[in-house]
Amino acid sequence: MKQHLTFITFIVLVFCVKFSQAQIPVISNISGNFEVDGQIYKADSSIEAPEVPEKFLNNAFLNLNYVNGNFKAGLRYEEYLGPLLGFDERYRGSGITYRYAQYSVDQIDVTVGNFYEQFGNGLIFRSYEERAIGIDNSVDGIRVGFKPLNGIYLKGIVGRQRDFFSLGEGIVRGVDADVQLNDLITKMKDAKVRLGIGGSFVSKYQKDNDPIRNLPQNVGAYAARFNLNAGKFSMNTEYAYKINDPSVVNSFIYKNGEALYLNLSYSTKGFGTTITGKRIDNMSFRSDRNATLNSLMINYLPAISKQYSYRLSTLYPYSTQPNGEMGVAGETFYNFAAKTPLGGKYGTKLSIGASAVNNIQRDSVSNDTLGYKSGFFNIGDDIYYQDINVELTKKLSKKLKLVASYIYQVYNKNVVEGEIGFDIVHANIGIIDLTYKINNKHSIRAEIQHLYTKQDRKNWAMGLIEYSISPNWSFTLFDEYNYGNDNKDLRLHYYNASMAYTKNATRISLGYVRQRAGLLCVGGVCRFVPASNGWNISITSRF
Amino acid sequence: MMRIKNLLIYTLPFYMLLQSCDKIDSPFSTSANSGSVDTSIVPQRVLLEEYTGHTCPNCPAAHDEAQTLLNTYGKQLIVVSVHAGYYAQTQSGTYSYDFRTQVGNDLFAAFLPTGQSFPTGVIQRKKNSQGNYPIPWSSWGTNIATLISAKPSAKIDMVNSYNAATRTITCTVTNNFLKDISSSLSLSVLYTEDSIVKPQKNGTVSLPAYTHRHVLRGSLNGSWGETIGSSFISGQSLDKTYTGAPISADAVPEHISVVAILYNTTTNEVIQVAEKKLIE
Amino acid sequence: MKKIFLLVSCCMVVLSSLAQEKKSEIPSVNIKTLDGKVFNTSQLNNNGKPMIIDFWATWCKPCVTELNAISENYADWKAETGVKLVAISIDDARTMATVSPFVSGKGWDYEVYIDNNSDFRRAMNVNNVPHTFLLDGNGKIVAQHNTFAPGDEDKLYEEIVKLSGTK
């Protein structure tokens, strides 16, 4: 309460100062956006959808942003009364969860309040939001950016991270230096090769009240990065190191942590290829050593495998194992131009990719509390995830467009979900996506997907039809059918019927959905997300 | 010159920050304030209700933590393992044993929000600073350490008896109040069984003969016990006797302990707790 | 709590009405070019001609469909109206490295930037992608659209023509 009052006073004071100054060209604007997602839940014992006491659950937020020249301020109000099933119960509540004021002058810009920031690739620090899956680890504190010379960007942050409707007890502080050599060194200004280097240091403080263990109160992590761009060829690499950080995620071992990320890519008109290698060893870094699931993560360890969008290809989603993994992924994109033999009349686009991720080799150490030791180049024998994917996009005629895709996935259900008895899932997925343009405004799209596997719940089939009337209307109907399940009672249809109205920036959708259950396992703890059944509504807009 | 001076000033904090790290060398553990208590002083006991399940892969780590804490605090810590929720469900095959109880299901429904992740625990049925009951297993030590040094408001003594013919447990609980208390208090008497050897999932492996400890098996007076009064004065003594329904056919009386919980009827917070083996 | 919220909103509305005439609606945020250079969004302009700012991501199917659909006619659009499409990718560190090869492999001709921590997206108040803005020569938002259905690109073109016609 008091905090907000002083904050508002601060804003008002700045306004007074601003308007008493000489006239400066002003960019002033209030803008914002909001979203409301609600669902009515009906218990359904056949899919084990539980009884929801409130009957109606919803997530909603409103963002307001104010810009006036070099001054920006904003806030966000969020409401989860109660949070939709699948979202952490700790979200239950409502209030202002994000507010900031930012001012930039000459080479400095200062932000107070909540902010999002990333150092390099995020290996030791990334605060960001992914509203759709309930991730928000904004830092509440101060952020200072400083550009002392052309080509050098320095950043410093101090604060505590958001944890649902409160703040984590750990204090996070960090600094980052980003140097673009071509802007800094005048001789290099017009060089064909662009070079950049950067380094960051982040440390967290959390009091040790543990009666049994002797825990480090300050834990620091360093990272160094380098990137190079030579016209068509580019390279981006980053190395991170973290000192002992015993936490619930790594079972309280005192081993240090390391991560290496290396990407090489080549792009030219009509062709592009990229390959990424990654190694992670004990790099879970949170501002509270007892935090699990999606709480209080300080860093971001990106998965390198492809992010899929077609439904059945997301049945077995891989997520980075922060305690240790090592892998490589690559993808190539090719555009066969129109009127060439392979391109056909309208052109064809092809993409091929593959990835493989294993665990790291762990050797025992004499001192148990150190956990293990692992040679930097030693990859383990356990497969965590592998995939091969091919996608072809082709316009067959003036009215008909096809996207065809084949994906092969090897998914270690044990490791990612903590399940046993299913071991590795091998899945073959075929997808056909056809769009037929009836006339200028009407079009219809159909998708047929099939997943073939001999493990887990066995085969699935999925069909989708979407009818859209540009620019405002869209009607969708789809069904996922687990026809291959060994258990006859589980051969269920999970369907979704919805319609959406879009006008400019506003979109309203209404539908009925029957959704399958799932498990969410992050950081040593698994949470069961129950199946659900019922009407849903979603409204989003921006102003 | 000015620019370079500015640069140096701004980079100075970086060097300072680089010094702020705690590298810990072995030994990594400290022996905590052991539960060595002056027996002439009545100790405050703490109740840890651990929520678990036989198919919960991350729960054995929490079980180990509870055991370490029991070794540290001895009789001052009372652990009750409540098997409930998704991970306590039975599956045909290995995990077919039903550990669940009516009282366990009621406690699970009351204290844990929907979709609560396992493992988790509730300590003294007290809410944390964010207004929730569940406390992550790695924070149990820290939480218990704060609560266990409080000055107790009551002393509980128990006398148990077991009727082998009817397989029923009778317990007489003597509550001695050490302070004036002007809120409504309730007394709940539960019983746990130790050393039940059944399968347990641990990470990605299945342990076929795992020793389940202090498993909640039932209650002598319903899930929430009985309200025993709305105000109490220092020095007052109150006796209550309860007899429960017969224990299950496969329960071993020698492994059973009775737990008496004296708690605030409105806030649920535990005032005092005591545990005594059924057969000594 | 609600009172303060209301108070702040009122203050903002009152004070913004006292402020001077609106100019560019593009906030100033640092994003990156495909070759890693830091770029400030206040420099986005098309020399007084209409400009499209399109928020997309490599993993967003309708976004890719929209950009493919526009690319079929992009050369004509540029010739007839001088419009420029600026594609802002919100791909984060996971898929950021694929943006440049992806764009090349699709044969697109757009000006592409990477907003990998969604700073520009947040400043433009974009909720979901695809979100397409059409701005006039002064940087004012004239039209915008969320989601994509085949045929939307024709409506967009109508708007661009209207804009370049009134110049």
Side-chain angles (χ1 to χ4, degrees):
Chain A
M1 190 66 179
K2 263 191 184 162
Q3 282 178 307
H4 292 294
L5 214 51
T6 40
F7 180 71
I8 291 159
T9 321
F10 170 68
I11 298 179
V12 174
L13 280 170
V14 176
F15 285 163
C16 294
V17 169
K18 206 66 190 104
F19 284 104
S20 64
Q21 284 177 351
Q23 301 286 35
I24 313 163
V26 167
I27 303 169
S28 77
N29 207 336
I30 286 187
S31 62
N33 63 355
F34 72 86
E35 183 164 333
V36 178
D37 292 301
Q39 181 160 351
I40 297 176
Y41 292 89
K42 281 205 299 213
D44 183 343
S45 53
S46 62
I47 55 167
E48 285 175 39
E51 184 70 48
V52 170
E54 301 94 330
K55 297 271 189 270
F56 173 74
L57 296 177
N58 79 317
N59 292 2
F61 69 84
L62 167 72
N63 266 312
L64 278 176
N65 279 315
Y66 178 83
V67 179
N68 185 345
N70 292 331
F71 176 75
K72 292 182 198 172
L75 55 79
R76 185 193 319 128
Y77 179 87
E78 286 177 39
E79 174 261 313
Y80 305 89
L81 295 169
L84 292 173
L85 281 188
F87 278 78
D88 203 303
E89 250 304 301
R90 290 173 283 182
Y91 264 124
R92 182 173 291 266
S94 62
I96 294 180
T97 55
Y98 174 80
R99 75 275 181 274
Y100 74 95
Q102 182 180 356
Y103 196 79
S104 49
V105 63
D106 298 331
Q107 304 143 292
I108 300 188
D109 75 90
V110 181
T111 310
V112 298
N114 297 77
F115 57 86
Y116 297 103
E117 179 60 71
Q118 179 172 323
F119 290 169
N121 292 299
L123 293 182
I124 61 170
F125 183 73
R126 180 184 189 204
S127 83
Y128 67 112
E129 53 168 345
E130 270 223 58
R131 215 133 291 293
I133 51 179
I135 292 182
D136 185 344
N137 61 349
S138 69
V139 176
D140 185 348
I142 292 184
R143 177 194 173 278
V144 178
F146 178 56
K147 188 179 165 186
L149 301 166
N150 218 6
I152 302 184
Y153 299 88
L154 302 175
K155 293 178 204 171
I157 60 127
V158 180
R160 288 157 67 194
Q161 291 181 291
R162 175 185 177 184
D163 187 27
F164 306 102
F165 280 95
S166 62
L167 295 177
E169 63 175 66
I171 300 174
V172 181
R173 44 273 158 107
V175 290
D176 180 80
D178 191 78
V179 182
Q180 300 289 314
L181 289 167
N182 296 61
D183 295 328
L184 179 65
I185 303 170
T186 31
K187 274 198 202 152
M188 285 182 66
K189 192 162 177 259
D190 296 312
K192 290 232 175 81
V193 177
R194 289 198 60 86
L195 291 173
I197 56 171
S200 37
F201 175 76
V202 176
S203 104
K204 61 155 173 162
Y205 169 79
Q206 183 183 14
K207 199 152 161 54
D208 171 21
N209 287 322
D210 198 305
I212 329 175
R213 299 178 192 92
N214 182 11
L215 298 167
Q217 298 194 126
N218 288 295
V219 174
Y222 316 69
R225 61 186 184 267
F226 170 73
N227 50 61
L228 179 153
N229 272 282
K232 300 182 177 176
F233 173 75
S234 82
M235 171 175 129
N236 175 1
T237 178
E238 187 165 359
Y239 171 78
Y241 177 87
K242 176 179 68 119
I243 67 163
N244 56 203
D245 182 20
S247 71
V248 69
V249 175
N250 69 7
S251 305
F252 287 92
I253 57 172
Y254 286 74
K255 185 183 185 301
N256 59 11
E258 283 184 302
L260 176 68
Y261 173 87
L262 170 64
N263 168 264
L264 301 167
S265 66
Y266 179 83
S267 318
T268 183
K269 181 92 194 230
F271 172 73
T273 185
T274 173
I275 185 162
T276 308
K278 180 174 78 160
R279 180 188 163 85
I280 291 180
D281 178 5
N282 189 23
M283 277 304 282
S284 165
F285 192 32
R286 297 178 188 240
S287 60
D288 183 342
R289 59 178 81 87
N290 302 306
T292 55
L293 290 171
N294 285 326
S295 271
L296 300 172
M297 292 182 285
I298 297 176
N299 64 350
Y300 175 66
L301 303 167
I304 50 174
S305 54
K306 188 179 166 94
Q307 196 159 341
Y308 291 108
S309 32
Y310 287 109
R311 276 195 80 87
L312 291 185
S313 55
T314 61
L315 197 61
Y316 300 116
Y318 182 67
S319 58
T320 311
Q321 300 303 304
N323 284 337
E325 68 171 32
M326 196 161 164
V328 68
E331 206 167 359
T332 300
F333 306 93
Y334 199 84
N335 184 34
F336 298 95
K339 306 197 176 54
T340 59
L342 283 165
K345 189 174 178 197
Y346 300 97
T348 303
K349 298 183 209 290
L350 177 71
S351 79
I352 301 176
S355 72
V357 181
N358 277 26
N359 65 347
I360 51 173
Q361 177 153 322
R362 291 185 171 91
D363 303 315
S364 50
V365 271
S366 49
N367 188 341
D368 246 354
T369 43
L370 280 174
Y372 60 89
K373 65 173 191 273
S374 179
F376 197 76
F377 297 101
N378 293 359
I379 188 166
D381 295 323
D382 296 337
I383 296 175
Y384 279 179
Y385 182 80
Q386 289 178 350
D387 73 3
I388 298 173
N389 58 79
V390 180
E391 185 177 282
L392 189 84
T393 306
K394 193 176 175 69
K395 194 164 171 180
L396 299 172
S397 77
K398 210 166 176 204
K399 295 191 177 239
L400 194 61
K401 199 179 97 164
L402 167 74
V403 178
S405 178
Y406 167 72
I407 302 163
Y408 174 66
Q409 290 176 325
V410 178
Y411 175 79
N412 191 329
K413 208 172 151 81
N414 270 0
V415 167
V416 184
E417 294 181 29
E419 285 296 317
I420 61 157
F422 300 113
D423 291 301
I424 316 265
V425 176
H426 295 257
N428 282 283
I429 306 165
I431 299 161
I432 301 234
D433 178 0
L434 276 165
T435 310
Y436 181 70
K437 203 163 172 184
I438 302 168
N439 61 39
N440 269 349
K441 291 206 186 290
H442 292 242
S443 69
I444 185 164
R445 187 171 76 90
E447 263 181 43
I448 297 178
Q449 303 183 22
H450 186 266
L451 186 149
Y452 172 75
T453 177
K454 287 194 192 147
Q455 293 87 32
D456 190 31
R457 289 167 287 186
K458 310 268 169 28
N459 296 359
W460 289 79
M462 187 260 195
L464 175 149
I465 293 193
E466 183 180 85
Y467 188 87
S468 26
I469 305 172
S470 169
N472 304 115
W473 293 95
S474 154
F475 304 90
T476 313
L477 186 63
F478 76 78
D479 182 28
E480 285 178 317
Y481 182 35
N482 188 201
Y483 74 90
N485 203 309
D486 280 339
N487 183 340
K488 286 205 182 124
D489 292 328
L490 294 175
R491 290 188 192 163
L492 301 162
H493 288 266
Y494 298 95
Y495 45 81
N496 180 318
S498 67
M499 74 180 185
Y501 174 77
T502 310
K503 188 173 167 93
N504 301 329
T506 307
R507 181 173 188 269
I508 302 174
S509 84
L510 193 62
Y512 188 88
V513 66
R514 197 170 187 232
Q515 198 168 302
R516 49 182 154 88
L519 263 179
L520 175 66
C521 292
V522 182
V525 170
C526 284
R527 185 161 52 116
F528 174 65
V529 177
S532 62
N533 192 19
W535 287 96
N536 62 19
I537 182 168
S538 170
I539 305 172
T540 103
S541 186
R542 137 184 217 291
F543 52 90
Chain B
M1 196 57 218
M2 187 58 180
R3 273 181 163 184
I4 298 183
K5 188 177 165 199
N6 278 345
L7 190 62
L8 282 171
I9 293 172
Y10 285 102
T11 49
L12 196 61
F14 297 7
Y15 301 130
M16 287 160 55
L17 265 177
L18 285 167
Q19 309 307 318
S20 64
C21 271
D22 292 339
K23 180 90 182 71
I24 306 239
D25 300 310
S26 50
F28 299 101
S29 293
T30 53
S31 52
N33 316 324
S34 63
S36 61
V37 161
D38 180 349
T39 48
S40 62
I41 306 171
V42 177
Q44 172 68 54
R45 293 202 183 85
V46 175
L47 173 68
L48 165 60
E49 284 163 306
E50 171 195 32
Y51 287 84
T52 189
H54 54 177
T55 59
C56 164
N58 300 302
C59 287
H63 300 159
D64 291 343
E65 182 81 354
Q67 191 53 50
T68 311
L69 291 167
L70 276 170
N71 295 339
T72 311
Y73 291 108
K75 287 202 169 297
Q76 267 195 278
L77 176 64
I78 293 162
V79 183
V80 172
S81 290
V82 182
H83 288 242
Y86 173 76
Y87 294 102
Q89 284 173 1
T90 55
Q91 296 172 359
S92 58
T94 324
Y95 301 99
S96 54
Y97 190 76
D98 202 347
F99 282 94
R100 296 170 297 183
T101 57
Q102 184 59 57
V103 48
N105 291 341
D106 291 342
L107 292 173
F108 171 78
F111 292 118
L112 267 44
T114 325
Q116 172 62 40
S117 51
F118 273 27
T120 194
V122 173
I123 300 177
Q124 289 298 55
R125 299 193 180 171
K126 192 176 153 81
K127 288 185 183 175
N128 62 20
S129 52
Q130 270 123 53
N132 302 314
Y133 287 103
I135 299 191
W137 69 262
S138 50
S139 301
W140 290 347
T142 319
N143 259 272
I144 292 168
T146 345
L147 293 166
I148 213 151
S149 47
K151 272 191 120 25
S153 338
K155 175 180 189 293
I156 298 178
D157 289 304
M158 297 159 75
V159 174
N160 298 327
S161 69
Y162 177 65
N163 184 329
T166 55
R167 288 184 74 79
T168 55
I169 301 171
T170 302
C171 175
T172 300
V173 182
T174 306
N175 303 287
N176 288 308
F177 296 94
L178 310 170
K179 286 188 194 155
D180 288 350
I181 297 172
S182 54
S183 22
S184 168
L185 295 182
S186 294
L187 181 63
S188 169
V189 185
L190 313 171
Y191 61 93
T192 63
E193 185 178 344
D194 208 74
S195 310
I196 302 180
V197 180
K198 286 275 181 241
Q200 167 72 47
K201 215 184 251 192
N202 182 13
T204 52
V205 300
S206 177
L207 303 170
Y210 184 85
T211 308
H212 292 268
R213 320 205 57 163
H214 33 70
V215 177
L216 176 63
R217 289 298 235 170
S219 150
L220 299 188
N221 57 359
S223 300
W224 300 103
E226 178 192 36
T227 307
I228 58 170
S230 51
S231 75
F232 310 85
I233 47 173
S234 175
Q236 183 183 349
S237 177
L238 187 54
D239 271 19
K240 283 284 173 187
T241 304
Y242 304 100
T243 302
I247 63 177
S248 57
D250 65 329
V252 178
E254 287 74 16
H255 292 160
I256 293 180
S257 296
V258 185
V259 177
I261 305 167
L262 183 64
Y263 68 94
N264 183 315
T265 316
T266 9
T267 67
N268 284 315
E269 202 174 318
V270 174
I271 309 286
Q272 182 61 285
V273 56
E275 181 180 41
K276 193 159 192 210
K277 283 190 74 89
L278 179 59
I279 296 168
E280 290 200 304
Chain C
M1 196 74 261
K2 284 212 166 114
K3 282 187 190 162
I4 296 204
F5 178 66
L6 226 58
L7 173 68
V8 172
S9 323
C10 288
C11 280
M12 286 182 171
V13 173
V14 166
L15 289 163
S16 83
S17 64
L18 294 172
Q20 298 198 335
E21 184 196 276
K22 280 188 186 182
K23 278 212 131 191
S24 169
E25 286 181 63
I26 306 176
S28 161
V29 174
N30 281 340
I31 52 179
K32 289 220 161 129
T33 62
L34 284 182
D35 54 2
K37 191 179 159 142
V38 172
F39 177 84
N40 192 291
T41 55
S42 57
Q43 294 171 0
L44 282 172
N45 81 88
N46 194 16
N47 296 320
K49 287 178 279 196
M51 180 166 67
I52 301 170
I53 296 184
D54 185 327
F55 283 87
W56 70 289
T58 57
W59 42 260
C60 161
K61 277 263 157 277
C63 303
V64 176
T65 311
E66 176 176 36
L67 288 169
N68 273 336
I70 295 174
S71 77
E72 285 171 23
N73 307 304
Y74 192 48
D76 295 333
W77 289 14
K78 276 199 288 191
E80 286 165 35
T81 61
V83 71
K84 174 169 85 166
L85 190 149
V86 174
I88 310 280
S89 154
I90 58 164
D91 284 274
D92 68 13
R94 178 179 182 172
T95 43
M96 194 172 75
T98 49
V99 176
S100 182
F102 186 94
V103 169
S104 299
K106 296 282 179 210
W108 294 343
D109 206 8
Y110 311 120
E111 199 171 293
V112 184
Y113 297 96
I114 298 184
D115 179 24
N116 77 351
N117 206 23
S118 288
D119 294 322
F120 187 38
R121 171 194 182 187
R122 236 190 309 280
M124 289 290 282
N125 294 296
V126 169
N127 258 334
N128 302 304
V129 284
H131 199 112
T132 309
F133 295 93
L134 175 62
L135 300 101
D136 67 10
N138 295 321
K140 280 228 255 297
I141 297 172
V142 156
Q144 57 184 298
H145 193 74
N146 181 219
T147 73
F148 177 74
D152 286 351
E153 73 274 22
D154 298 324
K155 177 121 199 300
L156 178 62
Y157 191 58
E158 275 170 35
E159 298 284 332
I160 300 171
V161 167
K162 250 194 264 174
L163 205 57
S164 53
T166 55
K167 274 177 53 58

